[in-house]
Amino acid sequence: MSEKVVKIGLIGFGTVGGGVCGLIEKQEELLKQRSGVTFEVVKVAMRDLSKKRDLELDPEKLTTDWQDVVNHSEVEVVVELIGGTTVAFDVVATALKLGKPVVTGNKALLAERGKEIFALSKQYDAPVYFEAAVAGGIPIIKSLKEAFVSNSLVNLAGIINGTCNYILERMTEAGLSYDAALKEAMELGYAEADPTLDINGWDAGHKAILLGAVGYGFLPSHKEVYVTGIESVKLEDIKLADSLGYSIKLVSVVKPSSEGVIEIRTQPSLIPKSHLLAKVDGVFNAVSLSGDAVGNSFFYGRGAGAGPTATAVVADLVDAALGSKAFLPYDESSYSVAPIEQTETAYFIRLDVKDEPGVMAKITSILGDKGISFSGTHSSVDPNAPDAEMKDVSFITHKAPFGKLQDALLALESLDCITAKPTVYRVESFS
Ligand code: HSE
């Protein structure tokens, strides 16, 4: 195999940047044997040069100015690992305009400013590789783009935020409150220093946009994509779902809802305990998908951390070095995002109620009027009340459009016998 040396520049030298340098150093021989490529890190930009790091780098190679890296005459491939959508955009745009391939793990950047970036990529014939942006330890971008290149994507559902999955598991298994589980996730270093995008669902939401892009060839606008986080998931809902045979997970769904219309949404949903996704615990990620020829496939692995993310970055570096084709949107006008009101699932609804005559009749009459039928009910009784009063009632409905459900919820909220805002989760069937 012919051998070549490829010179790279890194912007960002945190956990992942350090992991990338460590991996290409440790696996230099293996990388050469398998791909014929040896990587040389020629310049690295980092915020704080004085910070003590595990990996020693030649001080001559270090800078605090990203432009020193991108514009360096020897840097052939730019690795962007700083995150965010402002400076990172300038880094990537500058590299592309110089015709330099970019490797990035920045899901927010591509999901929110991907149209500009892919336009530059096309204009300057400089590829953008982003395997590390979605579930680092699972090669899902490559699989969709290469292994399943011959398949139409029938549906995809994933658990693609490890922090949320860890929090929900700790609530389920250890009975921790949401706040206690989040604190633990932060202490263990699973959540980001600012976990906002983890817990409000947008880290997974950005990843779902990229899966939609690679799966269907168009880049959805993040403004059209529906995202709800796990902030309001309650321990009592997890317990109730468990007793009904379901787990609550932050699930991202990407699938066609009608010809040329793609459903892309992320929210905490009930999933049957018998489904493989329900068995994905801790910080692990998983993607379950179906292709028209391959049928069902399931991917499982770590979605964060130095080793898994560096593995994805180095795979992309090899692709960049070998000139492999990178993703570019190709079907922009054929697809649109399904309005959330039109998307259909079953739902779990829990209503806090005053125990008084006619409560159930009023509730079922509203659901019936809105065309929402249900297959199961459950009610909890307050054991401390003198007359064992009913305190809440839950329903699992049949499938209905989300818009109809929202209408029903508004009507339910206006009833005097409903004492709190209704709690609602989708129930995913994956069919
Ligand atoms: N904070 C993310 C997670 C990792 O918890 O999955 C990278 O997106």
Side-chain angles (χ1 to χ4, degrees), residues 105 107 132-136 159-166 189-192 194-195 197-198 203-204 207 283-285 302-305 309:
K107 60 233 80 174
V134 185
I159 293 175
I160 47 181
N161 181 272
T163 300
C164 289
N165 206 49
Y166 178 82
Y190 295 152
E192 309 289 324
D194 173 4
L197 293 183
D198 286 316
D203 176 77
K207 293 168 185 169
V283 287
F284 277 84
N285 283 198
R302 289 182 188 277
T309 314

Short mmCIF file of all heavy atoms in Angstrom, two decimals, residues 105 107 132-136 159-166 189-192 194-195 197-198 203-204 207 283-285 302-305 309, ligand 1:
data_model
loop_
_atom_site.label_atom_id
_atom_site.label_comp_id
_atom_site.label_asym_id
_atom_site.label_seq_id
_atom_site.Cartn_x
_atom_site.Cartn_y
_atom_site.Cartn_z
N GLY A 105 -16.91 17.73 15.03
CA GLY A 105 -17.88 16.99 15.85
C GLY A 105 -19.00 17.91 16.28
O GLY A 105 -19.73 17.61 17.23
N LYS A 107 -22.30 19.31 16.20
CA LYS A 107 -23.67 19.08 15.70
C LYS A 107 -24.49 20.35 15.64
O LYS A 107 -25.29 20.56 14.73
CB LYS A 107 -24.39 18.01 16.54
CG LYS A 107 -24.51 18.36 18.00
CD LYS A 107 -23.99 17.29 18.92
CE LYS A 107 -22.49 17.34 19.02
NZ LYS A 107 -21.85 16.48 19.95
N ALA A 132 -18.23 12.37 14.09
CA ALA A 132 -18.14 12.60 15.54
C ALA A 132 -19.31 13.43 16.06
O ALA A 132 -19.51 13.53 17.27
CB ALA A 132 -16.83 13.30 15.88
N ALA A 133 -20.09 14.01 15.16
CA ALA A 133 -21.19 14.88 15.61
C ALA A 133 -22.38 14.08 16.11
O ALA A 133 -23.22 14.60 16.86
CB ALA A 133 -21.62 15.81 14.48
N VAL A 134 -22.50 12.82 15.70
CA VAL A 134 -23.68 12.02 16.09
C VAL A 134 -23.22 10.71 16.70
O VAL A 134 -22.68 9.85 16.01
CB VAL A 134 -24.59 11.73 14.86
CG1 VAL A 134 -25.86 11.00 15.31
CG2 VAL A 134 -24.93 13.00 14.11
N ALA A 135 -23.45 10.56 18.00
CA ALA A 135 -23.18 9.28 18.67
C ALA A 135 -21.78 8.74 18.34
O ALA A 135 -21.64 7.69 17.72
CB ALA A 135 -24.25 8.26 18.30
N GLY A 136 -20.76 9.49 18.77
CA GLY A 136 -19.36 9.23 18.40
C GLY A 136 -18.95 7.77 18.24
O GLY A 136 -18.33 7.41 17.25
N ILE A 159 -31.61 6.75 20.67
CA ILE A 159 -31.29 7.37 21.95
C ILE A 159 -29.92 7.97 21.72
O ILE A 159 -28.92 7.25 21.63
CB ILE A 159 -31.29 6.31 23.07
CG1 ILE A 159 -32.72 5.79 23.27
CG2 ILE A 159 -30.71 6.89 24.36
CD1 ILE A 159 -32.83 4.66 24.26
N ILE A 160 -29.86 9.29 21.55
CA ILE A 160 -28.61 9.87 21.07
C ILE A 160 -28.10 11.00 21.99
O ILE A 160 -27.32 11.83 21.56
CB ILE A 160 -28.74 10.34 19.58
CG1 ILE A 160 -30.02 11.13 19.34
CG2 ILE A 160 -28.66 9.14 18.65
CD1 ILE A 160 -30.21 11.59 17.89
N ASN A 161 -28.57 10.97 23.22
CA ASN A 161 -27.94 11.83 24.23
C ASN A 161 -27.68 11.01 25.48
O ASN A 161 -28.63 10.57 26.16
CB ASN A 161 -28.79 13.06 24.55
CG ASN A 161 -28.10 13.94 25.58
OD1 ASN A 161 -28.26 13.76 26.78
ND2 ASN A 161 -27.28 14.87 25.13
N GLY A 162 -26.42 10.77 25.77
CA GLY A 162 -26.04 9.91 26.89
C GLY A 162 -26.40 10.51 28.23
O GLY A 162 -26.79 9.78 29.16
N THR A 163 -26.29 11.83 28.35
CA THR A 163 -26.59 12.47 29.63
C THR A 163 -28.04 12.23 30.03
O THR A 163 -28.34 11.84 31.16
CB THR A 163 -26.31 13.99 29.54
OG1 THR A 163 -24.93 14.15 29.22
CG2 THR A 163 -26.61 14.70 30.82
N CYS A 164 -28.96 12.48 29.11
CA CYS A 164 -30.38 12.27 29.42
C CYS A 164 -30.66 10.81 29.73
O CYS A 164 -31.43 10.49 30.64
CB CYS A 164 -31.26 12.70 28.24
SG CYS A 164 -31.30 14.48 28.05
N ASN A 165 -30.02 9.92 28.96
CA ASN A 165 -30.28 8.50 29.20
C ASN A 165 -29.78 8.09 30.58
O ASN A 165 -30.43 7.30 31.27
CB ASN A 165 -29.62 7.65 28.10
CG ASN A 165 -30.34 6.34 27.93
OD1 ASN A 165 -31.56 6.31 27.82
ND2 ASN A 165 -29.61 5.24 27.98
N TYR A 166 -28.64 8.65 30.97
CA TYR A 166 -28.11 8.36 32.31
C TYR A 166 -29.07 8.87 33.39
O TYR A 166 -29.40 8.15 34.34
CB TYR A 166 -26.72 9.00 32.47
CG TYR A 166 -26.15 8.76 33.85
CD1 TYR A 166 -25.52 7.56 34.16
CD2 TYR A 166 -26.29 9.70 34.86
CE1 TYR A 166 -25.02 7.32 35.44
CE2 TYR A 166 -25.81 9.47 36.14
CZ TYR A 166 -25.18 8.27 36.42
OH TYR A 166 -24.71 8.03 37.68
N GLY A 189 -19.13 13.88 35.23
CA GLY A 189 -18.57 14.43 33.98
C GLY A 189 -19.31 13.96 32.74
O GLY A 189 -18.81 14.11 31.62
N TYR A 190 -20.50 13.39 32.88
CA TYR A 190 -21.26 12.96 31.69
C TYR A 190 -21.91 14.15 31.01
O TYR A 190 -21.88 14.28 29.79
CB TYR A 190 -22.35 11.95 32.06
CG TYR A 190 -21.83 10.64 32.61
CD1 TYR A 190 -22.59 9.88 33.49
CD2 TYR A 190 -20.58 10.16 32.24
CE1 TYR A 190 -22.12 8.68 34.00
CE2 TYR A 190 -20.10 8.97 32.75
CZ TYR A 190 -20.86 8.23 33.63
OH TYR A 190 -20.40 7.05 34.12
N ALA A 191 -22.52 15.00 31.83
CA ALA A 191 -23.18 16.18 31.25
C ALA A 191 -22.12 17.22 30.91
O ALA A 191 -21.03 17.21 31.48
CB ALA A 191 -24.18 16.75 32.25
N GLU A 192 -22.44 18.09 29.98
CA GLU A 192 -21.53 19.19 29.65
C GLU A 192 -21.46 20.11 30.88
O GLU A 192 -22.35 20.10 31.73
CB GLU A 192 -22.08 19.98 28.46
CG GLU A 192 -22.46 19.15 27.25
CD GLU A 192 -21.26 18.57 26.51
OE1 GLU A 192 -20.22 19.25 26.43
OE2 GLU A 192 -21.37 17.43 26.03
N ASP A 194 -22.07 23.15 30.96
CA ASP A 194 -23.40 23.75 30.91
C ASP A 194 -24.32 22.72 30.25
O ASP A 194 -24.29 22.54 29.03
CB ASP A 194 -23.38 25.05 30.09
CG ASP A 194 -24.78 25.60 29.89
OD1 ASP A 194 -25.75 25.01 30.44
OD2 ASP A 194 -24.92 26.61 29.18
N PRO A 195 -25.12 22.02 31.05
CA PRO A 195 -25.89 20.90 30.47
C PRO A 195 -27.19 21.31 29.78
O PRO A 195 -28.00 20.46 29.44
CB PRO A 195 -26.20 20.04 31.71
CG PRO A 195 -26.28 21.01 32.83
CD PRO A 195 -25.36 22.17 32.50
N LEU A 197 -28.14 22.24 26.75
CA LEU A 197 -28.53 21.59 25.48
C LEU A 197 -28.73 20.09 25.64
O LEU A 197 -29.44 19.47 24.85
CB LEU A 197 -27.48 21.85 24.39
CG LEU A 197 -27.33 23.28 23.91
CD1 LEU A 197 -26.31 23.36 22.77
CD2 LEU A 197 -28.65 23.86 23.43
N ASP A 198 -28.09 19.51 26.65
CA ASP A 198 -28.34 18.09 26.92
C ASP A 198 -29.79 17.91 27.39
O ASP A 198 -30.56 17.18 26.78
CB ASP A 198 -27.40 17.56 28.02
CG ASP A 198 -25.97 17.37 27.53
OD1 ASP A 198 -25.80 16.84 26.43
OD2 ASP A 198 -25.04 17.75 28.26
N ASP A 203 -29.34 18.89 22.12
CA ASP A 203 -28.16 18.14 21.67
C ASP A 203 -28.65 16.97 20.80
O ASP A 203 -28.16 16.76 19.68
CB ASP A 203 -27.37 17.63 22.88
CG ASP A 203 -26.20 16.75 22.48
OD1 ASP A 203 -25.18 17.30 22.05
OD2 ASP A 203 -26.33 15.51 22.56
N ALA A 204 -29.65 16.25 21.29
CA ALA A 204 -30.22 15.15 20.49
C ALA A 204 -30.96 15.70 19.27
O ALA A 204 -30.91 15.12 18.18
CB ALA A 204 -31.16 14.32 21.35
N LYS A 207 -28.61 16.36 16.51
CA LYS A 207 -28.15 15.10 15.91
C LYS A 207 -29.23 14.51 15.01
O LYS A 207 -28.94 13.96 13.94
CB LYS A 207 -27.77 14.11 17.02
CG LYS A 207 -26.54 14.53 17.82
CD LYS A 207 -26.38 13.68 19.08
CE LYS A 207 -25.24 14.16 19.95
NZ LYS A 207 -25.20 13.52 21.27
N VAL A 283 -24.93 5.87 30.01
CA VAL A 283 -24.56 6.90 29.04
C VAL A 283 -24.54 6.35 27.61
O VAL A 283 -24.16 7.05 26.68
CB VAL A 283 -23.17 7.51 29.33
CG1 VAL A 283 -23.24 8.42 30.51
CG2 VAL A 283 -22.11 6.46 29.50
N PHE A 284 -24.98 5.11 27.43
CA PHE A 284 -24.93 4.52 26.09
C PHE A 284 -25.95 5.16 25.16
O PHE A 284 -26.97 5.69 25.59
CB PHE A 284 -25.14 3.01 26.16
CG PHE A 284 -23.87 2.29 26.47
CD1 PHE A 284 -23.46 2.14 27.78
CD2 PHE A 284 -23.04 1.84 25.46
CE1 PHE A 284 -22.25 1.52 28.08
CE2 PHE A 284 -21.83 1.22 25.75
CZ PHE A 284 -21.43 1.06 27.07
N ASN A 285 -25.63 5.11 23.87
CA ASN A 285 -26.51 5.57 22.80
C ASN A 285 -26.91 4.35 21.97
O ASN A 285 -26.23 3.32 22.01
CB ASN A 285 -25.76 6.51 21.84
CG ASN A 285 -25.56 7.92 22.38
OD1 ASN A 285 -25.29 8.83 21.63
ND2 ASN A 285 -25.66 8.10 23.69
N ARG A 302 -21.08 3.86 22.78
CA ARG A 302 -20.94 5.11 23.55
C ARG A 302 -21.04 6.30 22.62
O ARG A 302 -20.50 6.28 21.52
CB ARG A 302 -19.59 5.13 24.26
CG ARG A 302 -19.51 4.16 25.41
CD ARG A 302 -18.17 4.24 26.13
NE ARG A 302 -18.06 3.17 27.09
CZ ARG A 302 -18.57 3.22 28.32
NH1 ARG A 302 -19.19 4.30 28.73
NH2 ARG A 302 -18.47 2.20 29.14
N GLY A 303 -21.72 7.33 23.12
CA GLY A 303 -21.92 8.50 22.28
C GLY A 303 -21.07 9.68 22.68
O GLY A 303 -21.13 10.74 22.06
N ALA A 304 -20.27 9.52 23.72
CA ALA A 304 -19.48 10.66 24.19
C ALA A 304 -18.21 10.13 24.83
O ALA A 304 -18.04 8.93 25.00
CB ALA A 304 -20.29 11.46 25.22
N GLY A 305 -17.31 11.07 25.15
CA GLY A 305 -16.07 10.69 25.80
C GLY A 305 -14.91 10.70 24.82
O GLY A 305 -15.11 10.66 23.59
N THR A 309 -15.30 9.40 20.73
CA THR A 309 -15.39 10.55 19.82
C THR A 309 -14.11 10.66 18.98
O THR A 309 -14.18 10.95 17.77
CB THR A 309 -15.66 11.85 20.60
OG1 THR A 309 -16.71 11.59 21.55
CG2 THR A 309 -16.12 12.97 19.68
N1 HSE B 1 -23.32 15.68 25.92
C1 HSE B 1 -23.54 14.70 24.90
C2 HSE B 1 -24.25 13.50 25.52
C3 HSE B 1 -22.27 14.23 24.27
O1 HSE B 1 -24.48 13.47 26.73
O2 HSE B 1 -24.58 12.59 24.77
C4 HSE B 1 -21.97 14.72 22.90
O3 HSE B 1 -23.02 15.18 22.17
#
